Amino acid sequence: MDRLTLPGLTRDMTEKPILVLGGTGKIGRRVAARLRAAGHSVRVASRSGEVRFDWTDESTWDTALDGVGPVFVALPEEGGDAAPFVAHAAGRGVTRFVALSGRGVEEIGEPSMLGLERAVRESGVDWTIVRAGWFHQNFDEGMLAEGVRNGVLEVPVGDGLEPFVDAEDIAEVLATVLTTEGHVGRTYELSGPRALSFAEVAEILSGATGRRIEFRDVPAEKYAAGLVAEGVPDDVAKMLAEVFAFIRYGHSEPLVDGVQRVLGRAPRSFEDYAGAVTW
């Protein structure tokens, strides 16, 4: 065999390239790497990827879509309206949409992700939605990394608990859903194996880094104002404060079993993640 395939692959999936939008981001690059390691043809498209793709520039869409089968869709951090692209892609004959969304989007009312979910469900094309909680990697690659480096995690979460999930687990779920049968029309919610407070996270990170990491709870208004002072748009700062409020009031605490359902194994723990990072 010149290609490693997984049981349940259709002929169409094996022969057509898989389009990975946002393929240079935290999740997209991991999805692309897993697909390539399994021998699949992958087209990485982003503003700075192998193929240039911009949600706001329709002239970049057709080059990314030409001849592809399944499409992994993840919106940029600033959000946006996915519906025009999804409708266009469906008209170009894509075979499946796999969309990355977030846990709690309905309760928070996050318009971009809700719009993405609605667009793929109404596209007339096979679809799967994966809703992920907060990534482990937010503490070394994302918005919380600076706080870890400075020794202070200052966020408005109180004693709220979050079952952080590993980006590698998310990527493996997405790669599996993109390339195997049995996932059409399903929505999978992903979490880690245990819900942690930010105070517990700070203790785990202190042990892993060998430096004291302190957690400080702050009022949501102060947190949002600090982001605005750093140049974050006001609406984005308020949205982030609302996301932390979702944790503060216990809405994120329940564990979900999407990793187990798709991969047949337990998700990676925060302790395992923290111990493996070169801080």
Side-chain angles (χ1 to χ4, degrees), residues 17-25 28-33 35-36 41-53 63-64 68 72:
I18 300 170
L19 175 60
V20 178
L21 298 180
T24 56
R29 73 173 187 270
R30 289 176 163 92
V31 172
L35 292 171
R36 284 175 169 155
S41 175
V42 178
R43 182 176 301 160
V44 171
S46 69
R47 291 170 183 165
S48 59
E50 301 161 6
V51 175
R52 184 175 175 272
F53 175 85
T63 301
V68 301
F72 165 64

Side-chain angles (χ1 to χ4, degrees), residues 41-254:
S41 175
V42 178
R43 182 176 301 160
V44 171
S46 69
R47 291 170 183 165
S48 59
E50 301 161 6
V51 175
R52 184 175 175 272
F53 175 85
D54 189 329
W55 286 95
T56 64
D57 183 355
E58 293 186 22
S59 69
T60 67
W61 294 359
D62 283 338
T63 301
L65 288 166
D66 187 32
V68 301
V71 179
F72 165 64
V73 186
L75 286 169
E77 290 185 1
E78 65 269 24
D81 182 7
F85 170 78
V86 170
H88 184 80
R92 288 292 306 270
V94 303
T95 58
R96 177 179 300 190
F97 290 110
V98 174
L100 178 62
S101 185
R103 290 189 69 192
V105 291
E106 289 158 332
E107 293 87 347
I108 297 170
E110 205 291 309
S112 294
M113 286 187 178
L114 285 173
L116 170 61
E117 291 192 6
R118 183 167 51 251
V120 299
R121 288 193 179 106
E122 297 174 356
S123 66
V125 175
D126 288 349
W127 58 267
T128 307
I129 293 168
V130 175
R131 291 175 169 176
W134 279 68
F135 308 163
H136 292 164
Q137 284 73 11
N138 284 336
F139 292 94
D140 71 300
E141 298 179 27
M143 61 180 295
L144 300 170
E146 184 176 359
V148 174
R149 288 192 295 270
N150 294 337
V152 179
L153 291 173
E154 194 170 74
V155 284
V157 294
D159 296 326
L161 304 179
E162 171 68 28
F164 299 94
V165 61
D166 199 86
E168 296 292 350
D169 286 346
I170 299 169
E172 187 174 349
V173 166
L174 290 164
T176 300
V177 167
L178 281 161
T179 56
T180 61
E181 297 292 356
H183 307 290
V184 173
R186 296 181 182 271
T187 298
Y188 294 109
E189 296 210 358
L190 312 185
S191 77
R194 181 164 70 97
L196 299 168
S197 69
F198 271 68
E200 290 174 307
V201 164
E203 287 299 320
I204 294 168
L205 291 175
S206 294
T209 62
R211 298 180 288 106
R212 179 62 186 163
I213 310 295
E214 180 184 356
F215 163 64
R216 294 178 190 164
D217 185 33
V218 294
E221 297 79 6
K222 179 179 178 181
Y223 175 78
L227 292 178
V228 171
E230 294 172 4
V232 176
D234 185 67
D235 58 337
V236 175
K238 289 179 179 177
M239 182 271 292
L240 288 172
E242 289 171 2
V243 170
F244 281 117
F246 193 74
I247 299 173
R248 175 186 286 272
Y249 296 111
H251 301 299
S252 288
E253 183 176 345

